[in-house]
Amino acid sequence: IPLLMHRSRTVNCQPILDHMNDKLQGWNSKIINQAGKTTQLNSVLSTMSSYHMQVLKLPDTTIHQMVQIQRNYWWNSSPHHNNKHFISWNKMRLPKRLG
């Protein structure tokens, strides 16, 4: 949590997104199977912002960007390539007990 807060909440939350992107730079999603990607997403990326969420109310745009970073890693996508996805992200986000 930064000591000095900016008036804009999105500016305050930008280090979270930067940290997520920095963490992904070392991972190569093309050589990891989907079970390994699921473990990485659940244990690392999903928990990185949990402390910030307890202290601050994150704006919807930041939450959307966090989900987009996770979704792009899962599907091996980048902003420059348009890949086909066979399952919608809303179905992928469901808990295991719901399918």
Side-chain angles (χ1 to χ4, degrees):
I1 302 290
L3 294 175
L4 300 173
M5 301 296 264
H6 193 270
R7 182 176 282 171
S8 171
R9 290 188 305 164
T10 55
V11 172
N12 291 332
C13 297
Q14 187 61 39
I16 299 169
L17 299 173
D18 293 338
H19 189 62
M20 288 177 79
N21 284 322
D22 291 342
K23 188 64 83 171
L24 288 176
Q25 294 300 320
W27 296 350
N28 190 355
S29 65
K30 293 184 180 181
I31 61 172
I32 299 173
N33 63 8
Q34 290 183 334
K37 289 182 202 177
T38 302
T39 303
Q40 286 179 327
L41 288 175
N42 288 336
S43 64
V44 179
L45 286 183
S46 296
T47 59
M48 287 175 73
S49 60
S50 62
Y51 179 73
H52 293 275
M53 288 182 183
Q54 292 174 2
V55 176
L56 303 171
K57 179 171 175 18
L58 297 182
D60 292 337
T61 56
T62 301
I63 294 172
H64 176 71
Q65 289 173 342
M66 290 167 53
V67 170
Q68 186 176 14
I69 290 170
Q70 293 177 5
R71 182 176 55 227
N72 288 342
Y73 176 72
W74 173 263
W75 291 115
N76 293 329
S77 315
S78 66
H80 308 293
H81 297 94
N82 189 9
N83 295 343
K84 298 241 184 224
H85 308 304
F86 298 107
I87 301 172
S88 72
W89 184 251
N90 290 332
K91 289 183 182 178
M92 291 293 296
R93 291 180 7 177
L94 290 175
K96 289 181 183 177
R97 61 182 168 82
L98 296 177

